[in-house]
Amino acid sequence: MSTSNHYRSNLRDIFFNLFEVLDIERTSLGKPPFANFDGDSAREVLRQLEQFVHREVSPSFAESDRVPLTLDAEGNVTLPPALSKSLRAYMEAGYQNMELPEHLGGYGAPPSVHIAGLELTVGANPCIAFYLFGTFVARTIDRLGTEAQKKRYAQAMVDGLWGGSMVLTEPDAGSDVGAARATARKADGDEWHIEGVKRFITNGDFDGVANIVHLVLARPEGAGPGTKGLSLFLVPKFWVNEDGGLGERNGAVCTNIEKKMGIKGSATCEMTFGDGKPARGLLVGEVHDGIRQMFHVIEQARMGIGVKSMSTLSSAYLNALEYTKTRIQGPDLKRATEKTSPRVPIIQHPDVRRMLMLQKSHAEGMRALCFFAAHCQDQVEILGGHGVGAARELDQLNDLLLPLVKGYNSEKAFELLAVSLQCFGGSGYCLDYPIEQYLRDQKIDTLYEGTTHIQALDLLFRKVARDGGATLQGLLGQVQRTLEEQAGGEALAGERKALERALGDVRGTFGALVGKLNESVYHVGVVGNRVLAALAELVIGWLLVKHAAVALERKEANPADAAFYDGKVASARFFCQTALPALTLTRKLVESSTLDVMDVAEGSF
């Protein structure tokens, strides 16, 4: 094992989610707009991608961390050679087109299959996945832009392998996007000039691509304050002429790259617009609706971050599992007092097994959560798109799940990566093994695309309150139906009992929070993260029980794969025994929470 071949994929569990639990061959594939993509195609492309990322992407992981980016006087960022090689190979292979519709030259695959591909890519080297954002920008233009913008940008970005970035954050505004001060001034024709400085812009600049198209939030002159006054603009590094050809260098320049604790190969840029040279741009869709438009981008980015955290934890667990099978240390605990007792692989020690099951059950549960959300996205597209007819209910469920995917996965993965490292003992703290880089690279996931508490506020104030809790109650109703159907029969009776109690605790937690809000909105600030985590763990526990029920059925038909299916049951059992009981404590803490912390004088902290 070394950092050069660090990645441990789990295509078997990905296929279990897609084809045995979600049954996408029946529910998603072969139906418009995925009519030309079938199960064989999905399996084959994912098998090929798995081999590709191990061969071409994973080897650049360590160099991405240890060889620094460079920035020249003209604002051009140069990537480490190994990272550039991996990125070029990926782009030329065309796997980034998995998320694109067929009319843009894409695979025409549903979101569930794209998310599977993203898991493999971001697990092998997350920096590579970030630099592929141009494909999503093209898809966004194709969805939100005018016909002229689609013709001028979307297809050119796909065909030319251009890069892209989303540009929101400003130095003084931080997560308060509505406080942004970047301005937009109407120029000639359909052109706008953008002025201002943005910070923490992922892949704001990098070499190896002919152009980079930025999606920039700015405030047109005369527009009102707050988020409602913001508009969304297309601002390229090189101006794109009306015929699609590239023009002169635009006034959108990287003026600094951040020095970070992790994910070092991803260029996190300060971007300066309009300093000495106009930063020319186009209003997206000719509609002053920037924050709503940008949320199409933000929500997908949040989904991607949740997948990144899950994939990192999964690889860390599988690395730890491999190590514990080969590391010989100490006698079996039952024979610890015998001087001549043989030394055993540390996987035989109870505490090590506890740590392994902690990682396994959560990694598989997070994967189940990600694919459950992605499958909702499949059905939204099949039923006609966002907010249309029968798709509306599923669209709202997906919206409810996204803060769980991003907020819970990112927080819990960081906590459990420390457990992965612990399995290696002192060796895990050394650069010889990838876990210390996993920790550093993953920590950012709790911070960008909205911190964990922003996810909690989004869950409670936007996703739950929006429809008076109807979507939440619908989700809890699905959990209740699984209990009523007695999924898994007698074999999972204990797990269903734990799930039933957890369901009651989560209902009680939300009820207690509603009561607290009558006292003060501050209560959300004090307990909001706990509530988000409780709902996420209930949903994960429910999904693991459903997966275990499927595994019990499949084991009978596929006895040769019994070890895998037994592992699914073990994950559900461990999670229900160790994670779900904690929701009772969460309920009690929310019920008894106070605002005493708000009365502590600043000088007393």
Side-chain angles (χ1 to χ4, degrees):
M1 184 192 309
S2 70
T3 52
S4 64
N5 61 352
H6 74 99
Y7 181 46
R8 301 292 180 267
S9 53
N10 196 343
L11 194 60
R12 179 66 185 89
D13 199 36
I14 290 173
F15 280 1
F16 177 74
N17 276 267
L18 291 178
F19 299 109
E20 297 180 71
V21 175
L22 298 172
D23 193 10
I24 65 168
E25 286 185 282
R26 180 181 60 83
T27 59
S28 299
L29 303 179
K31 298 182 178 182
F34 317 120
N36 296 323
F37 201 82
D38 59 22
D40 290 340
S41 299
R43 289 183 179 89
E44 184 59 24
V45 72
L46 291 174
R47 287 191 188 103
Q48 290 181 3
L49 179 56
E50 181 190 38
Q51 294 172 7
F52 178 87
V53 299
H54 281 290
R55 184 176 68 251
E56 300 288 349
V57 178
S58 179
S60 63
F61 171 74
E63 183 172 310
S64 300
D65 180 66
R66 296 166 198 175
V67 177
L69 305 166
T70 62
L71 175 66
D72 68 18
E74 283 74 45
N76 300 304
V77 175
T78 300
L79 306 183
L83 182 57
S84 289
K85 180 183 177 183
S86 290
L87 180 59
R88 175 53 54 184
Y90 199 103
M91 287 182 164
E92 291 178 351
Y95 287 114
Q96 70 277 9
N97 295 335
M98 197 181 302
E99 68 174 299
L100 290 175
E102 289 182 279
H103 71 266
L104 282 179
Y107 287 40
S112 56
V113 176
H114 161 58
I115 288 301
L118 178 62
E119 176 184 338
L120 295 170
T121 303
V122 80
N125 189 341
C127 297
I128 294 294
F130 290 165
Y131 286 119
L132 300 170
F133 196 66
T135 309
F136 181 73
V137 172
R139 183 154 62 94
T140 301
I141 297 169
D142 185 62
R143 179 177 178 184
L144 302 176
T146 64
E147 289 304 315
Q149 289 168 356
K150 294 177 187 180
K151 183 178 179 181
R152 187 170 173 181
Y153 277 91
Q155 195 65 58
M157 293 188 70
V158 174
D159 295 341
L161 304 179
W162 293 359
S165 78
M166 54 186 293
V167 184
L168 291 81
T169 306
E170 297 186 12
D172 295 327
S175 295
D176 185 6
V177 178
R181 291 187 281 186
T183 61
R185 178 174 55 83
K186 191 74 168 69
D188 297 332
D190 60 356
E191 190 174 314
W192 292 74
H193 290 175
I194 315 299
E195 292 186 4
V197 177
K198 299 283 188 174
R199 191 184 184 195
F200 297 151
I201 308 307
T202 301
N203 22 295
D205 197 89
F206 58 101
D207 64 328
V209 291
N211 205 3
I212 300 171
V213 179
H214 310 287
L215 292 174
V216 183
L217 277 180
R219 196 178 309 279
E221 290 182 335
T227 56
K228 292 184 178 180
L230 297 172
S231 293
L232 188 62
F233 298 89
L234 295 175
V235 184
K237 179 176 180 177
F238 290 92
W239 185 248
V240 181
N241 298 320
E242 291 188 14
D243 64 2
L246 295 185
E248 65 177 357
R249 176 75 180 262
N250 201 10
V253 179
C254 174
T255 44
N256 187 46
I257 47 178
E258 304 293 343
K259 308 299 186 291
K260 302 170 296 184
M261 68 177 278
I263 204 84
K264 294 178 182 180
S266 173
T268 304
C269 301
E270 173 191 84
M271 298 294 297
T272 300
F273 296 85
D275 184 12
K277 185 175 187 178
R280 305 160 69 189
L282 302 175
L283 182 66
V284 175
E286 297 183 351
V287 176
H288 291 286
D289 195 16
I291 197 64
R292 186 191 65 82
Q293 292 171 317
M294 187 61 97
F295 255 97
H296 289 292
V297 183
I298 293 171
E299 294 286 15
Q300 287 299 306
R302 288 175 174 174
M303 179 77 178
I305 294 308
V307 173
K308 172 180 176 290
S309 286
M310 172 270 289
S311 186
T312 303
L313 175 61
S314 179
S315 185
Y317 157 64
L318 293 173
N319 272 282
L321 175 63
E322 180 181 321
Y323 182 84
T324 60
K325 289 179 178 179
T326 59
R327 171 63 168 156
I328 308 298
Q329 183 172 297
D332 186 291
L333 192 60
K334 289 183 177 180
R335 303 181 61 184
T337 59
E338 300 175 19
K339 293 182 180 181
T340 59
S341 60
R343 273 36 190 167
V344 299
I346 61 174
I347 194 172
Q348 294 188 27
H349 299 321
D351 182 57
V352 172
R353 288 185 163 236
R354 177 193 63 82
M355 291 191 291
L356 291 172
M357 281 304 303
L358 193 62
Q359 296 167 72
K360 173 180 166 64
S361 61
H362 280 82
E364 292 178 4
M366 291 177 189
R367 181 176 290 113
L369 176 61
C370 289
F371 280 108
F372 177 50
H375 191 247
C376 289
Q377 295 167 25
D378 288 0
Q379 304 313 304
V380 169
E381 296 296 329
I382 290 168
L383 291 171
H386 301 264
V388 177
R392 181 176 177 80
E393 185 176 331
L394 279 167
D395 201 11
Q396 290 181 331
L397 175 57
N398 175 62
D399 282 347
L400 180 73
L401 294 171
L402 285 177
L404 308 184
V405 170
K406 195 280 182 186
Y408 180 80
N409 283 9
S410 64
E411 283 287 344
K412 197 66 179 181
F414 185 70
E415 174 187 329
L416 293 176
L417 285 171
V419 177
S420 301
L421 189 149
Q422 193 76 10
C423 291
F424 286 83
S427 296
Y429 200 70
C430 299
L431 295 181
D432 306 60
Y433 296 95
I435 309 301
E436 63 85 27
Q437 186 178 337
Y438 284 2
L439 272 162
R440 292 184 290 105
D441 284 358
Q442 189 276 333
K443 179 54 193 171
I444 187 63
D445 296 354
T446 69
L447 305 174
Y448 57 14
E449 311 308 339
T451 61
T452 305
H453 191 57
I454 288 175
Q455 304 306 310
L457 296 177
D458 178 55
L459 170 69
L460 297 169
F461 288 144
R462 291 187 67 245
K463 308 302 174 59
V464 173
R466 171 176 59 190
D467 58 6
T471 301
L472 172 65
Q473 291 304 323
L475 176 60
L476 299 183
Q478 291 192 52
V479 180
Q480 183 65 50
R481 283 194 293 276
T482 296
L483 295 172
E484 293 170 355
E485 293 166 358
Q486 297 189 0
E490 186 60 29
L492 297 179
E495 287 65 44
R496 292 196 308 275
K497 183 176 181 181
L499 184 63
E500 182 176 23
R501 178 168 181 173
L503 176 60
D505 285 330
V506 167
R507 282 175 167 155
T509 297
F510 274 93
L513 180 59
V514 170
K516 294 284 185 178
L517 287 175
N518 292 327
E519 176 187 342
S520 173
V521 72
Y522 279 168
H523 280 288
V524 170
V526 174
V527 301
N529 289 21
R530 288 185 183 277
V531 176
L532 180 148
L535 180 59
E537 291 187 338
L538 172 67
V539 173
I540 286 174
W542 165 58
L543 292 172
L544 288 178
V545 168
K546 290 185 66 177
H547 285 207
V550 171
L552 288 168
E553 294 177 2
R554 299 288 296 179
K555 180 182 175 181
E556 292 186 12
N558 301 277
D561 214 3
F564 172 80
Y565 293 122
D566 287 344
K568 303 306 293 183
V569 176
S571 288
R573 185 153 294 149
F574 186 88
F575 192 91
C576 289
Q577 290 174 346
T578 62
L580 293 187
L583 302 191
T584 302
L585 176 60
T586 296
R587 176 179 181 173
K588 291 179 179 178
L589 289 171
V590 172
E591 290 172 343
S592 62
S593 68
T594 71
L595 299 179
D596 291 351
V597 69
M598 301 305 297
D599 296 328
V600 179
E602 289 186 12
S604 299
F605 276 93

